[in-house]
Amino acid sequence: MASDYFPPFIAAQLNYLITHFPQAVKVEQAWSGSRNYPGVLDRFTLCIPYCLDYIKWDIIYNAEFPLSAPDVVFGPEDEQFHPFRLTGSEGGDEAKPLKMILSDWSYKDPTRLCALIQELRNEYILYQQKRAGAVNDYRLKFEINTMLSREGIEIQVSSGLEKPEEVKFAVPLLDMNINKMVHGCPWRHLQKIQLQVVYPIGKKYTPRLKLISTTELKALFSVEDVKLPTWVDGMCMAEYLPHLEESLQGQIMEAVSSIDVRRHFIEALAPLLGRPLEAEPIFCRKATFLVASGAFTFQAHLSIPTQFPKQQAALMLMSNQHFNSHHAPIRSALLTDYPWSPRWDISQMAERMFDFLLDEAVNFKRYCNEMQL
Amino acid sequence: MEAVEGEGSGPPRYTLNPTRICGEDILFCVDVDAESLMEMKATGANGRPVTRLDSIKQAILLFIHSKLSINPDHRFAFATLSKSASWLRKEFSSDVDSAMSALRSLSATSPSGHADLTHLLRLAAHEAKKSLAQGRIFRVILFYCRSSTKPHYQRSGAQKLFTLDVIYLHDKPGPDNCPQEVYDMLVDALETVSEHEGYILESGQGLTRVLFRQVCVLLAHPQQRSPQDFIDFPKSLAKKLPLSEQTPGAADDSVPSQ
């Protein structure tokens, strides 16, 4: 209902959580648990990034008892996760922060929920590590023993119908600040690449591997373009990762120097196609030119891929004089099939693009005239 | 922002520096005085004459589609000018359908007698501050249609917060009008208020093709512009001459009619 709302003290804690939590947390749904205050939202489901996936926890406040700390209900597959069972003999130093947050709960303090979820997530990491350590698979035991010391690693034991079937690892890669390598970098967050390794339990198959990056990195470098080194039978992560990281580091450095290749290409086009109307100046992936063939004026929109010049740029032409029934200018399809060689030097590439446009202008004008009839 | 090379007689060589550019908030201000109903030298699909206002609407749509193809982050709002400026659609948006419905509601007024740009410039300065706070830049594109009414405005010592571009459609100069004086006033306004290089383009030919070409020149992002004297687009895709025979040129507005 549009009139439903979070009471101010919950709203303050939730807002603080969303803006300050190290990972991007989302609220999936919210509802009211109170018969007496039906429009007051005091329960919600949090989606928390974990191990390149999400875990969902229900946070249960009580609008009728605002002074109390909320309860947290974990997912059905985590029945064995009991971070609140804190006796003097268990947990030791690890249990302390959680115990303090709960015993010292102040509903007026907007930072509390964030601190609680952060501690619970830390506990969850340890819980998953223990679960993985208990799995009856010698290969996995070896991996866990060797990899646990690696900073930032997260593990998830996925449960099958009767017993665990897979163990997933999310391994942060490359201790390099890619943001700092890009001149004028516009990224708000540090870009990261992780390797997802999925081990089947009790089977001898090589693990499934996938590279995953933060979204904004795509402007510079696509992890989908990376050919992963082969996982040789009998290998372990400690052996595999250095090869992968070395290869990735080389590819990222190449991607960074590719920016200037694209930059120079756009600059080389300017004497031939005129000064660009607009060119994307940081990653140099796009540029638009205004050109004329006789009295026919049109725009040439250039998209340059990260794999340029191995992969050629795509062109889209837009007429300034022909419009469809919605009064939108008529445009061409994406043109990628023109003569090209990555071995040409930059000025040759620019000249050949000019030659292509010179010829294509005639075809495009004919196409526009036909579309308008 | 580029050093002029050689003896400074030609346009500087283009360099694409790794300097961030901002999304634009663009306010179209359309002169809806009676002279906007002057006919262009074209007829519509059903033989109906096309007015300046009709062509301006289509030119704005051409601009919006083009600008969003360049970067979907740019946004647009609309105002009209008769005696003074008033909002047509105040909210900035990149939605093409809502731009179309705003433009559909544009209609001409009876003759206004004078054109005061003061309110337009104040409103633009106010909106520009909001855009700047969001990490965006602000631009006004004024379409002016009157051949004898010189626009005026109160000068203020205000800082230059936005870019002003003008497209001026007028009658051919004659004893009963003064488009040159109007043009000079518009240049004066542009040079006084514009933060980045503002462009002013004019035509008395009444050709829609020329208007559409001019509006596309205004697609140039203010943070990457060259001075107007050095505009070298639309670039003619003719067979290339040897380097020694090439001369740098400004856009030629006097296109021979087809």
Side-chain angles (χ1 to χ4, degrees), chain A residues 5 32-42 62-65:
Chain A
Y5 65 97
S32 171
S34 166
R35 230 176 283 154
N36 297 325
Y37 307 116
V40 174
L41 303 170
D42 57 356
N62 189 336
E64 299 183 38
F65 298 99

Side-chain angles (χ1 to χ4, degrees), chain A residues 38-263:
Chain A
V40 174
L41 303 170
D42 57 356
R43 292 155 195 230
F44 48 91
T45 305
L46 276 182
C47 291
I48 302 160
Y50 178 74
C51 200
L52 296 171
D53 201 340
Y54 288 95
I55 44 177
K56 294 187 188 181
W57 293 344
D58 289 342
I59 314 299
I60 313 289
Y61 284 88
N62 189 336
E64 299 183 38
F65 298 99
L67 298 180
S68 313
D71 288 324
V72 184
V73 179
F74 307 109
E77 61 278 355
D78 292 323
E79 276 175 0
Q80 303 305 312
F81 180 47
H82 302 296
F84 298 114
R85 275 196 202 152
L86 307 165
T87 66
S89 53
E90 283 174 24
D93 282 339
E94 293 161 20
K96 269 197 189 145
L98 195 53
K99 208 172 177 180
M100 275 177 57
I101 292 168
L102 290 171
S103 60
D104 210 11
W105 187 265
S106 160
Y107 80 104
K108 285 189 196 157
D109 181 356
T111 69
R112 286 288 146 165
L113 180 64
C114 185
L116 174 66
I117 303 298
Q118 231 169 315
E119 269 318 305
L120 282 173
R121 193 178 182 281
N122 291 342
E123 292 290 325
Y124 190 80
I125 293 173
L126 297 174
Y127 151 77
Q128 284 285 0
Q129 284 174 359
K130 248 197 236 161
R131 273 187 88 199
V135 159
N136 191 9
D137 183 311
Y138 73 91
R139 194 173 53 165
L140 272 166
K141 282 201 194 300
F142 179 81
E143 291 289 21
I144 288 161
N145 286 335
T146 44
M147 294 303 299
L148 262 190
S149 54
R150 191 177 171 110
E151 207 184 306
I153 203 168
E154 292 180 359
I155 306 177
Q156 188 161 42
V157 180
S158 79
S159 27
L161 284 170
E162 285 173 4
K163 54 177 181 142
E165 290 189 334
E166 295 180 329
V167 175
K168 271 196 286 188
F169 291 77
V171 187
L173 297 174
L174 292 179
D175 194 17
M176 60 198 300
N177 187 334
I178 303 173
N179 292 36
K180 282 217 172 102
M181 296 167 75
V182 176
H183 287 303
C185 184
W187 294 326
R188 287 153 295 163
H189 307 289
L190 193 59
Q191 298 301 300
K192 298 188 199 133
I193 303 178
Q194 295 192 70
L195 179 69
Q196 185 183 67
V197 186
V198 183
Y199 268 102
I201 296 175
K203 305 214 168 74
K204 294 244 191 311
Y205 309 138
T206 54
R208 294 199 315 274
L209 303 169
K210 189 176 180 191
L211 276 178
I212 295 170
S213 78
T214 42
T215 337
E216 288 178 306
L217 188 66
K218 281 195 196 98
L220 171 71
F221 175 74
S222 174
V223 289
E224 274 135 27
D225 289 337
V226 175
K227 189 165 179 298
L228 288 170
T230 317
W231 183 289
V232 174
D233 224 3
M235 238 180 181
C236 64
M237 273 195 263
E239 287 174 283
Y240 184 80
L241 290 174
H243 294 302
L244 174 61
E245 285 190 300
E246 194 183 320
S247 164
L248 255 186
Q249 185 163 37
Q251 289 182 60
I252 293 199
M253 289 176 63
E254 206 183 300
V256 170
S257 53
S258 285
I259 297 176
D260 279 342
V261 175
R262 297 193 289 271
R263 187 186 308 284

